[in-house]
Amino acid sequence: MARQLFAQLSKESFVYGFTAAAAKLVGFILVPLYARMLTQSGFGILDLVTTGTAILSSVLILGMDSSIAIIFYKTEDPTERRTIASTFLVFEIVFTLIVCALLLPAAEPIALLAFGDASLTPYVQIALATVPFAIYITMFLDIARLIRIPTRYMVISLGNLIFTSVLIVLAVVVYGLGVWGVLTATLIGSVVFSLVGFYTTRSQYGPFFSRTVLRRMILLGLPLVPAALSLWIIGSSNRWFVLHITSSAEQVAILALATRLAAPVVLVVTAFQIAWVPFSLSIARQDAAERVYTRTLLYFLAVTFAILLPLTLWAGPIIQLFSTDAYLPAANLIALTGMISISSGAYYIVATGINLSGKTIHIGWTTLVAAGVSILLNLALIPVLGVLGAAFAGLVASLTPVVLLYIMSQRIHPLPYDLPAVLTLSGLGALLLLAATLLHLSDPLFDFAARVVILAIFPAALLALGVIRPRDLREMMHMLSGRMRRGADV
């Protein structure tokens, strides 16, 4: 049974992973476009604006993108599920339009507060106009994921990605519109694929609206709003601290590039996160569920560290390939930004017990504590270490809710994680990443050989520690070959 459940998780992660892979591929294509066609300062400002748009979107959805999953799987009745989806849709359309309309007149003060520059007000205005449509796309993707229609999920996600990317290339390369062109293209793509998303999931809605359902979703979701804000502070606020402490958008661009070049790790984490919550809730009543929960954490760490290590080992050549020499300081940051992503994925796994118990309030306060850690460390480290201090602050802050949530989850709904193996694997991965970051031998041949040795240590350690067992490898190869043969049917 456990093998079948792992196979099911693998299948869903493959579908969502393919979508995320396409997004990261396009992201790789756009990195040299931004790094070479925009000024370094413009790249930094673009990253700050898009980050701000993302956090406002995550706050205005009120945690309901997570709470809907919790109540959706508590019923098998199609009418009740349509009521849940319809209530979610109607409320968010009205709520987000009202809030963003009220914020538009305050765009100039927001620009002064966020950037210290009122001339960037038009960027804030177009970002606020984009937010409602970005939320609508998120809603339609959530519905497609919950009802297990991955093909339509891919239509919405990949369609929006490709359409918007083409518009961005035209705006920046052909018309030379710079940051304004990128933001305008994003708005147009979001509007168009909000309509596409509604059309492709239209069968899930009807003339249903339930105040009771809305109340349940809000009560479950509201504790996640501080968590969403806190997660933004943990993962992205360091960019804003860098801007205001160093007064350098160029330094923001270096941190942004390091984050984007860790995209292969983000790809795996994103695909896993998309698949994990509905999957973990849907198998809760099955006998093999606990074994799946506990082994997943080890497998997740093994895969993500294995991807991040070569990126760190050859960070310099990768940066020169995708940007210019001005961005080479980002080589010292890729290990840290990649581990921040790994921490966010581990957070979802250790939160399983909390989700199963429905006590989401603990997600809120643990992330609030971590946000406080992030603020203090950014204020303390950036004046001394600059952008390196910002990246380190992000890592420590991202690990804080993982530790706190693990402790709380084990008290409320304990799961038998192999903590010694988890700590050993994490410590080994961190040490190898540190060695990869610091390694700089004058002889190119010895330098390359040393990097290959560091790379080879990790899989050997996985086998020695028993994290990956020979039979696991055989099962994985058999499962992957089956996925490739049946991939066209997904």
Side-chain angles (χ1 to χ4, degrees), residues 265-293:
V265 179
V266 180
L267 152 66
V268 173
V269 172
T270 302
F272 176 81
Q273 287 175 346
I274 291 170
W276 178 249
V277 174
F279 175 81
S280 62
L281 293 172
S282 67
I283 68 169
R285 297 185 183 90
Q286 300 192 33
D287 294 338
E290 285 197 354
R291 179 171 178 267
V292 173
Y293 296 150

Side-chain angles (χ1 to χ4, degrees), residues 261 308-320 331 334 436 447-456:
L261 291 182
L308 180 57
L309 185 56
L311 289 175
T312 305
L313 284 165
W314 286 280
I318 292 172
I319 290 172
Q320 290 177 315
I334 289 180
D447 185 82
F448 179 79
R451 294 177 191 276
V452 171
V453 169
I454 291 174
L455 184 63

